[in-house]
Amino acid sequence: SSDEYQWKGPFYFIQGADPQFGLIKSWAVGNTESGDDEWGEEIKLTEQAVQAINKLNPKPKFFVLCGDLIHGMPGTQWRKDQEQDLKNVLQNTDQDIPLVFVSGNHDIGNTPTRETIDNYCKSWGDDYFSFWVGGVFFLVLNSQLYFDSSKCPELKQAQDTWLNGQLAAAKKHKCKHVIVFQHIPLFLREPDEDHDYFNLEKSVRQEIMEKFHKAGVKAVFSGHYHRNAGGCYRGLEMVVSSAIGCQLGEDKHGLRVVLVTDEKIVHRYYSLDELSSQGLEKDMMDMLAKQN
């Protein structure tokens, strides 16, 4: 609504990533192609995440899931069941907390097509869009189009054109901050690190980082790595959050609390156990209470 264009003081939201129903089992048995026929563990973890979020007071403004909602790639056997089970869990999210979905490589395929993207949109909503909350401008991007758009170049072109228009409009509106959500990180630690499966190709990355920097984007929040990581590029913070689901490093299953203040964005990763048992820590609560 139009009053969301106005800054009204500090607020926070919750970022989660990679519930990826089916990965825990398939990783354990060493078959990530078709070993994803069980996801009871992920159901429990995502239920715990939803319960933790529902208990928070004050409420977060929204809950964003940064991709890889399920493990089954387009066309695989368990995909529909995984999607349905995830929706059943997420339906219990407090109705005052909107859900924001971001497409990941498992949701639309490593090399997406118009068809895989259409199917995603039918299930979860648009693959890229923007919204305002309390004077802050948020962009959700389809990072798969930057990873490999060989089967749908016209869709990448459309997202680029749209994005340029959105960033120009954000500048004109003098928003307090611009924040981006995408599944694949621009980079994991260093802006000039080598390209691999977990980040974007260097020339593509450079172009996006420059574009974001010029437009005054404050932070990009991603998942995909199943570990916490991050770094900075000329004032743009890249935040990589670990998974609700399968962990590939030393982190705990968790969620990131992101607090937006007048001058900065403060965030902290909580394990699901921590967030369930203690909620936000005092310093976070104090920052939220500041009226400016």
Side-chain angles (χ1 to χ4, degrees), residues 19-64:
Q20 202 159 343
F21 280 27
L23 177 59
I24 292 176
K25 159 89 191 310
S26 61
W27 190 262
V29 300
N31 174 1
T32 52
E33 296 299 307
S34 59
D36 59 330
D37 57 342
E38 286 174 28
W39 48 90
E41 190 71 22
E42 285 94 344
I43 289 177
K44 285 213 274 297
L45 290 162
T46 310
E47 282 173 344
Q48 190 185 358
V50 166
Q51 285 158 3
I53 291 168
N54 286 348
K55 280 201 314 207
L56 293 170
N57 184 22
K59 290 183 200 302
K61 290 286 186 189
F62 59 89
F63 172 26
V64 57

Side-chain angles (χ1 to χ4, degrees), residues 32-251:
T32 52
E33 296 299 307
S34 59
D36 59 330
D37 57 342
E38 286 174 28
W39 48 90
E41 190 71 22
E42 285 94 344
I43 289 177
K44 285 213 274 297
L45 290 162
T46 310
E47 282 173 344
Q48 190 185 358
V50 166
Q51 285 158 3
I53 291 168
N54 286 348
K55 280 201 314 207
L56 293 170
N57 184 22
K59 290 183 200 302
K61 290 286 186 189
F62 59 89
F63 172 26
V64 57
L65 270 172
C66 281
D68 279 1
L69 306 174
I70 55 169
H71 182 69
M73 285 280 187
T76 58
Q77 184 176 4
W78 306 108
R79 188 177 167 88
K80 278 276 159 277
D81 295 335
Q82 290 168 359
E83 281 195 342
Q84 195 49 59
D85 283 354
L86 176 57
K87 286 180 178 179
N88 292 344
V89 173
L90 292 174
Q91 264 163 356
N92 297 316
T93 309
D94 184 315
Q95 59 186 27
D96 295 329
I97 305 171
L99 291 165
V100 177
F101 298 109
V102 182
S103 64
N105 56 306
H106 282 264
D107 305 309
I108 59 177
N110 285 323
T111 305
T113 65
R114 183 175 281 278
E115 185 190 17
T116 65
I117 292 174
D118 280 349
N119 287 338
Y120 169 85
C121 294
K122 285 191 191 97
S123 275
W124 302 103
D126 291 340
D127 58 325
Y128 58 89
F129 57 96
S130 63
F131 60 97
W132 289 82
V133 173
V136 176
F137 188 54
F138 292 94
L139 291 155
V140 169
L141 297 181
N142 178 345
S143 56
Q144 222 48 41
L145 295 173
Y146 297 121
F147 191 82
D148 182 359
S149 64
S150 58
K151 294 222 174 108
C152 54
E154 73 288 355
L155 297 183
K156 176 189 186 287
Q157 185 56 59
Q159 175 171 255
D160 280 339
T161 305
W162 172 85
L163 177 59
N164 293 338
Q166 294 288 304
L167 292 173
K171 254 198 144 127
K172 213 177 70 197
H173 270 293
K174 303 219 188 325
C175 51
K176 188 62 84 173
H177 305 292
V178 183
I179 294 174
V180 172
F181 300 117
Q182 59 184 57
H183 179 62
I184 300 182
L186 296 169
F187 58 88
L188 298 174
R189 299 189 192 282
E190 303 293 334
D192 59 351
E193 71 197 17
D194 287 340
H195 167 55
D196 68 18
Y197 176 77
F198 287 113
N199 60 20
L200 290 181
E201 195 272 312
K202 280 173 98 162
S203 62
V204 175
R205 177 197 315 170
Q206 190 57 44
E207 191 184 325
I208 297 172
M209 289 190 309
E210 254 324 284
K211 182 184 288 192
F212 285 176
H213 168 69
K214 285 202 178 88
V217 175
K218 272 276 173 49
V220 176
F221 289 89
S222 295
H224 188 52
Y225 192 43
H226 295 254
R227 285 156 279 213
N228 287 308
C232 276
Y233 172 80
R234 302 180 70 187
L236 167 71
E237 191 182 3
M238 180 67 241
V239 184
V240 184
S241 294
S242 197
I244 291 171
C246 190
Q247 299 300 310
L248 299 182
E250 303 303 307
D251 298 290

